[in-house]
Amino acid sequence: MEPGDHGSEHDDEPAEIKSAPPGLGPLTRRSALLGMGAVAGIAAVDVGGFAYAGGWLRPDALTPPRFADRFEHVYGQHDGFRRNHAKGLSATGSFASTGAGAAICRAAVFQPGSVPVIGRFSLGGGLPDQADKPDTVRGLGLLFQAPNGQQWRTAMINFPVFTDSTPQGFYERLLASKPVPGTGKPDPQKMAAFLDRHPETVAAMKIIKQSPLSAGFADSTFYGLNAFWFTNSAGATVPVRWSVVPRDVAGANAPGPSRGKDYLFDDLIRTLAQRPLKWRLILTIGEPGDPTNDATKPWPQSRRSVDAGTITITAVQTEEAGNARDINFDPLVLPDGITASDDPLPPARSAVYARSFTRRAEEPKSPSEVNVAQVLS
């Protein structure tokens, strides 16, 4: 779930990543983006973890362990927690399909009907006890459980584009974003040098800064960012990006006048104690020429979209054994009908997520920063 060079983590863990699909390129994962210069206002950006995608046969090659180590180098090691999006709440709910998605995808989840959903709300970054801030990236991971036993897992964030187009770019940004002792901010020269080398990140940050921030989790739109191929029952294949759009923005609770350390999560807990929250699952269909290998570039707003159904979250739970705490929201866990595109980030995320999962599964667990019972007491 995170990158690393040489850090506080075990570099010699079981090589589950070495069995990653060949030819997928190096690693990628997305985590910290500390504001400064063109990235001002963004505290941490991440979709999950970037993975080992392929064979960089160099001594300094990016590997899942080194990526995970780097997250620990930036955030410190916090046993039992994800290396990125460490702070979070588990969630449960359902997805009610309209059946419209079946026109472009044969996956069982898009057939008319309802399926269970396990989710996780989170904040980007590797600090499980960080204070909530409005400009910190918000994440939503979902696991759809289809009746045929297949699963669809996705990890989304509240930014319309990703900040990096490759695993290497993400890794370099993570290095440049490490806070300097004394200031708590990235080294201006290192960040400026990174941005000079990566104009795609500068362009993506401009798009992100122009997107208004919502009040909290309940009224956030979450984006899948990466393109995938959807194939229907007739064998026709189209590129698709997806997002989940809140159905009742007007009904979302605004933060109270006194914002505590965990106010984003506290507001989410209190809202769900009163009523369920609903999002529409929107599938956007790409056309020839739309990039499928670069998550920093948006598709035109004129692209056709399909309202595939409604995601309803009915409750959140303190992270503990048996709920979403122990789920790896691997973006390559896909049902029949959905396949990865040529985007290098999902395979990278998949491998780093696996490394992060392996590490935290072997570590002692600490209590979650956010406790549902305490908030409601």
Side-chain angles (χ1 to χ4, degrees):
M1 198 155 188
E2 301 82 3
D5 191 90
H6 302 306
S8 46
E9 289 245 324
H10 344 27
D11 216 58
D12 55 348
E13 290 187 333
E16 81 271 347
I17 305 230
K18 290 183 177 152
S19 62
L24 289 177
L27 286 159
T28 316
R29 174 127 169 64
R30 154 160 106 116
S31 171
L33 176 62
L34 296 176
M36 114 105 278
V39 295
I42 305 299
V45 174
D46 182 335
V47 187
F50 302 148
Y52 177 76
W56 285 6
L57 303 178
R58 304 193 315 264
D60 60 343
L62 288 181
T63 63
R66 295 187 71 189
F67 237 124
D69 290 344
R70 183 53 59 192
F71 272 92
E72 295 179 358
H73 181 64
V74 172
Y75 294 112
Q77 182 170 339
H78 304 277
D79 285 350
F81 290 97
R82 298 169 195 260
R83 271 39 185 181
N84 193 21
H85 284 257
K87 185 177 183 178
L89 278 176
S90 179
T92 49
S94 62
F95 170 64
S97 171
T98 61
I104 61 172
C105 187
R106 63 174 177 252
V109 70
F110 293 119
Q111 295 299 317
S114 181
V115 301
V117 166
I118 299 175
R120 183 176 187 267
F121 293 93
S122 63
L123 290 183
L127 299 174
D129 58 351
Q130 66 177 305
D132 295 0
K133 297 178 181 178
D135 56 356
T136 302
V137 66
R138 301 168 202 160
L140 175 59
L142 293 175
L143 183 158
F144 300 80
Q145 182 64 64
N148 63 357
Q150 296 185 4
Q151 293 183 356
W152 177 26
R153 302 188 190 187
T154 178
M156 301 169 285
I157 61 169
N158 66 324
F159 290 167
V161 293
F162 194 41
T163 49
D164 311 289
S165 60
T166 65
Q168 178 68 36
F170 176 80
Y171 186 80
E172 291 180 13
R173 179 172 55 79
L174 187 64
L175 295 179
S177 69
K178 182 181 180 181
V180 175
T183 69
K185 298 179 179 180
D187 183 308
Q189 292 184 338
K190 289 183 178 179
M191 183 58 73
F194 166 79
L195 294 174
D196 284 343
R197 294 193 305 272
H198 293 277
E200 74 281 3
T201 297
V202 175
M205 290 308 305
K206 288 181 180 178
I207 295 173
I208 292 170
K209 290 174 66 177
Q210 292 169 358
S211 303
L213 291 172
S214 64
F217 286 106
D219 59 347
S220 288
T221 294
F222 295 95
Y223 301 88
L225 298 175
N226 306 111
F228 287 77
W229 294 107
F230 278 37
T231 303
N232 65 14
S233 57
T237 298
V238 292
V240 170
R241 288 176 173 175
W242 59 79
S243 58
V244 296
V245 181
R247 294 195 58 163
D248 186 19
V249 175
N253 288 350
S258 61
R259 295 186 175 187
K261 180 181 179 183
D262 307 316
Y263 80 94
L264 287 170
F265 290 98
D266 293 350
D267 291 339
L268 178 65
I269 292 169
R270 294 188 181 106
T271 299
L272 278 166
Q274 301 171 10
R275 59 183 175 84
L277 293 172
K278 299 178 182 290
W279 285 263
R280 293 183 299 136
L281 175 60
I282 303 298
L283 310 176
T284 300
I285 303 169
E287 296 183 4
D290 290 342
T292 56
N293 63 348
D294 191 343
T296 67
K297 296 179 179 178
W299 289 351
Q301 294 184 354
S302 59
R303 292 297 176 257
R304 181 166 70 96
S305 63
V306 174
D307 186 341
T310 299
I311 297 164
T312 302
I313 300 297
T314 54
V316 287
Q317 303 86 29
T318 303
E319 292 202 292
E320 56 188 9
N323 61 26
R325 186 198 72 178
D326 298 324
I327 291 177
N328 174 11
F329 289 97
D330 184 337
L332 294 187
V333 175
L334 303 168
D336 176 53
I338 305 178
T339 55
S341 69
D342 54 347
D343 189 325
L345 297 186
R349 290 172 57 198
S350 176
V352 178
Y353 280 19
R355 181 48 52 103
S356 171
F357 181 86
T358 299
R359 289 184 178 183
R360 62 189 173 90
E362 298 172 348
E363 296 167 346
K365 302 297 183 291
S366 300
S368 171
E369 163 72 15
V370 185
N371 187 296
V372 174
Q374 290 179 2
V375 174
L376 297 178
S377 62

